Amino acid sequence: MNLPTRPAPEAFRETASDDYLLGGFTWRHIRTDPTRPVVIINAATSVRCRHYSRFADYLFAHGFDVITYDYRGIGESRSGSLRGFKASWSDWGALDFEAILQRAQREFPGQPIDVVGHSFGGCAAGLAASGAAIRRIVTVGAQFAYWRDYAASLRWRMFGKWHVVMPLVTTVCGYFPGKRLGWLEDTPAGVVRDWGTPTPRYETRPSGLTLGELPFSRVKAQILAISITDDPFGTVAAIERLLEYFESSERTHLRIAPEDIAEETVGHFAFFRSEYQDRLWPIALAWLQHAELKQGTPGRRI
């Protein structure tokens, strides 16, 4: 499919409840339509929102308004040095995503609100106090980065990289200089601490909240969780662990093997590359449009 000429997304600034200034982009149709959904794209940990621009173009071309944004300390939402900068996964969800969710309700009053969450972005979808406003969610490889859930063949290598080396470098530098090392974007120390915590349970992370106090149960959206068999983060155990938190939601887990789409590898990050707009993106589109998996959809339900 050839997408139409890319619209010029509007850059915006949004203030979170603690007065932190967030940055992002909006794809907005000229004519207001109360039936048109608006999609918020939640990025993976330390991946800039610009990574999802082509996917946002795709959704816009299919009739959605779209919002992308960066979490505090990342990309459009970074201001100065990250050394000593305070931010955590909880902040990214409870403060940053919440602010964007409120913005969507304010900027697109009455329109349905959907969310696409990549990796941590799927977790963030359950951390906003206004989560009840979400109609549908598509997650891709969404999990808590619990090391025991990593793919068995790579588990110890990944543990060493993400749970030993990354925290050690962060301790020395005061933040993780990921861009310099070629490991994602620079990352606040608090986020690295959350990632490195050796527990599968979100409520024991530094948020200090019990499961009953977390907002996940407020979300009553129709959820499609997409996982890829060669994604070492997104194993069945990892995906299912997160889905259990969305106890008030209707949940569907679709597991896709690269060979299902005539590929050798896809992994954790490739889903949002434009080369997959004809093979993988229609799966997310169909769910956002009708909360359904069309006949012939690659993969299998778990």
Side-chain angles (χ1 to χ4, degrees):
M1 172 187 174
N2 293 319
L3 296 179
T5 302
R6 174 179 173 173
E10 310 164 6
F12 69 82
R13 292 289 180 267
E14 180 68 33
T15 304
S17 62
D18 64 345
D19 295 328
Y20 191 87
L21 197 61
L22 304 168
F25 301 94
T26 302
W27 282 252
R28 185 193 308 267
H29 288 266
I30 295 175
R31 293 186 178 179
T32 300
D33 182 349
T35 67
R36 179 190 299 120
V38 53
V39 178
I40 301 171
I41 300 178
N42 285 348
T45 297
S46 300
V47 175
R48 297 185 67 155
C49 69
R50 291 177 182 270
H51 176 70
Y52 306 92
S53 292
R54 289 295 294 168
F55 184 68
D57 289 343
Y58 174 84
L59 294 179
F60 181 87
H62 284 87
F64 293 84
D65 293 315
V66 187
I67 297 174
T68 67
Y69 70 103
D70 282 311
Y71 308 119
R72 62 187 62 204
I74 306 297
E76 307 299 317
S77 299
R78 178 171 178 173
S79 179
S81 173
L82 292 185
R83 185 173 283 107
F85 180 77
K86 304 296 184 184
S88 67
W89 269 349
S90 295
D91 294 334
W92 283 1
L95 296 176
D96 300 351
F97 173 56
E98 171 66 15
I100 301 304
L101 191 50
Q102 290 188 19
R103 178 183 180 85
Q105 293 176 84
R106 185 178 70 249
E107 292 288 309
F108 301 93
Q111 295 180 218
I113 298 175
D114 298 335
V115 173
V116 172
H118 181 204
S119 195
F120 167 76
C123 306
L127 294 175
S130 301
I134 305 171
R135 181 188 65 158
R136 293 175 187 147
I137 297 173
V138 174
T139 67
V140 178
Q143 32 65 46
F144 287 125
Y146 175 46
W147 69 275
R148 290 186 183 275
D149 287 340
Y150 294 160
S153 61
L154 296 172
R155 183 174 301 146
W156 292 110
R157 185 185 306 175
M158 294 172 67
F159 182 87
K161 180 176 181 177
W162 301 114
H163 299 266
V164 177
V165 175
M166 184 169 67
L168 285 175
V169 172
T170 301
T171 298
V172 172
C173 298
Y175 71 102
F176 182 67
K179 195 168 185 179
R180 190 186 321 163
L181 297 174
W183 296 13
L184 310 177
E185 292 291 312
D186 296 345
T187 306
V191 172
V192 173
R193 174 197 60 198
D194 284 357
W195 189 332
T197 300
T199 172
R201 306 295 295 178
Y202 187 88
E203 66 270 22
T204 60
R205 305 275 180 161
S207 66
L209 299 174
T210 66
L211 179 58
E213 295 171 315
L214 290 169
F216 285 93
S217 61
R218 300 180 188 178
V219 178
K220 297 178 175 61
Q222 296 166 302
I223 300 176
L224 172 64
I226 299 172
S227 66
I228 310 295
T229 59
D230 70 332
D231 175 0
F233 291 100
T235 61
V236 171
I239 303 301
E240 292 293 318
R241 191 181 301 280
L242 174 60
L243 285 178
E244 289 177 1
Y245 280 75
F246 290 97
E247 57 188 8
S248 301
S249 296
E250 176 186 322
R251 294 155 286 180
T252 300
H253 180 181
L254 177 68
R255 190 150 181 84
I256 303 172
E259 54 266 30
D260 293 335
I261 57 168
E263 288 285 349
E264 292 185 3
T265 62
V266 176
H268 189 62
F269 293 102
F271 183 97
F272 294 96
R273 294 175 184 165
S274 57
E275 64 198 82
Y276 293 113
Q277 68 182 39
D278 294 326
R279 290 175 288 169
L280 291 178
W281 294 3
I283 302 170
L285 178 66
W287 191 265
L288 295 172
Q289 288 176 327
H290 306 295
E292 68 177 13
L293 294 175
K294 292 185 176 179
Q295 186 174 3
T297 296
R300 61 186 179 89
R301 291 187 185 222
I302 298 297

